[in-house]
Amino acid sequence: MKLPLDYRADITFGARVRPSPFFDRTVAAGCTAFTIYNHMYMPTSYGDAEGEYWRLINDVSLWDVACQRQVELFGPDALNLAQLLTPRDLSDCIVGQGLYVPICNHFGGMLNDPVLLRLAEDQIWLSLADGDLLLWVDAIAKERNMYVLVTEPDASPLAVQGPKAEDVIAELFGDWVRELRYFWFRETELQGIPLVLARSGWSKQGGYELYLTDGAQGGRLWDLVMAAGAPHGIGPGTPNQIERTESALLSHGGDMDADVSPLEIGLERFCDLDKPGEYIGMENLRHMRDSGPPRRLVGLFIDGEPLPNSAGKWPVHQAGAAVGQVSSAVHSPRLHRNIAMALLKSEIAQIGNQVQVTTPAGERRAEVTELPFIR
Ligand code: THG
């Protein structure tokens, strides 16, 4: 993909893509760019990339991430279906707990990397990354004659992220939220607005996600959080490409897709390949564990002047041979250098190795390093 550095384009609004329950508020707050994610508009900028980054690092930021749609599994086979869908063992997952779960196809390729929430013995949500997973889940359930309903419920996450998120959420809901464990959640309400409150979010700055379960009340929820956050410097933001690259949080469709195994991208820590029972992708994943993953997701320090954020993949070479691709690259304001995530052939993926990256600003030297960049 050849994109001139100063290229800009509009998005076309239409009936085919869904607005989020917070859409009107994000427009009123000055959203300047959207992407399409799970057939929904998702804000990606309010026009001040630098300010939005520092607000997330130092204060607190409010994100419309309603496009992280839920797939609900409801019925006596809900857990059996979830166990079939992921290589992660869910037998110890209790009601109120959330888990990050890779979902693979029969070749062991990544179809999605949702957060799983166990709402009840017989009710599970998969909080999706981009990608139509409902079609897959529903088809698997039906083909296996499982006793479970697969639907998309009215549930729209609003993320409150940053070091001051805890104070804001405690003011709204009470001090119990301070004790909530990472990825755990509770069903609750705010002035009559029903929601699921979870300690999670696509940043490593701490925070919560409010899954609104009445889409008609998006504006009210947004206003209540903004009002409580005002004394803490809250402002509108979006999932942040710089912070998430520093923290090595993965983006499905970008850093991995159905052609990539969880064992190649550092998600082996969320796989229990020998768990009891069957799961989709089992044979290929066990085989890849035994033979060794052919590629590895690594960090790169890229030399030279600050680069623009990557918009598409950048080829990586060593001694003239193609060895992989950069999937996410940003200039880190905290490390004062260009950082990237790249999927490289395993024999090239050793720390300290030197490679060549083809960026829109020309060829650059780069060095392989560990992920994450900032812990
Ligand atoms: N929250 C909710 N839904 C989501 C996301 C989210 N759906 C889409 C997308 N994000 C799913 N992908 C991820 C990727 C990474 C993480 C969460 C969701 C994440 N990972 C941590 C890590 O890798 O360090 C922690 C994993 C762990 O220790 O369990 O947070 O953000 N609702």
Side-chain angles (χ1 to χ4, degrees), residues 165-175 177-178 190 227-232:
E166 187 177 305
D167 289 336
V168 176
I169 296 298
E171 255 163 62
L172 287 167
F173 292 91
D175 277 332
V177 305
R178 301 184 190 277
L190 184 64
H232 303 277

Side-chain angles (χ1 to χ4, degrees), residues 202 241-242 244-246 248-251 254-256 297-300 302 308-314 325-331 338-343 371 373:
W202 207 52
Q241 291 304 323
I242 302 174
R244 74 98 182 171
T245 304
E246 292 171 336
L249 295 174
L250 304 183
S251 177
D255 302 309
M256 38 103 166
L297 189 78
V298 296
L300 292 181
I302 306 179
N309 288 3
S310 57
K313 298 199 172 148
W314 295 347
Q325 291 185 320
V326 163
S327 50
S328 310
V330 298
H331 183 262
N338 299 307
I339 61 171
M341 291 193 274
L343 192 63
L371 293 174
F373 292 96

Side-chain angles (χ1 to χ4, degrees), residues 50-70:
E50 184 87 359
E52 288 164 39
Y53 170 80
W54 287 114
R55 176 181 284 146
L56 170 62
I57 301 297
N58 296 326
D59 301 309
V60 50
S61 181
L62 185 63
W63 307 352
D64 172 3
V65 284
C67 63
Q68 296 171 355
R69 301 314 293 163
Q70 315 307 305

Side-chain angles (χ1 to χ4, degrees), residues 37 68 70 88 99-100 112-115 117 127-130 157 182-183 200-204 209 211 247-250 267 269-270:
Y37 191 109
Q68 296 171 355
Q70 315 307 305
R88 186 161 188 178
L99 290 174
Y100 183 39
N112 211 290
D113 65 332
V115 177
L117 293 86
S127 184
L128 299 188
D130 190 31
Y182 186 54
F183 268 47
S200 55
W202 207 52
S203 88
K204 284 289 189 182
E209 290 179 300
Y211 294 71
S247 303
L249 295 174
L250 304 183
L267 298 189
R269 66 189 194 279
F270 305 112

Side-chain angles (χ1 to χ4, degrees), residues 340-358:
M341 291 193 274
L343 192 63
L344 301 186
K345 291 184 172 174
S346 293
E347 58 272 25
I348 308 296
Q350 281 76 16
I351 289 160
N353 230 332
Q354 306 287 317
V355 293
Q356 210 56 42
V357 180
T358 309

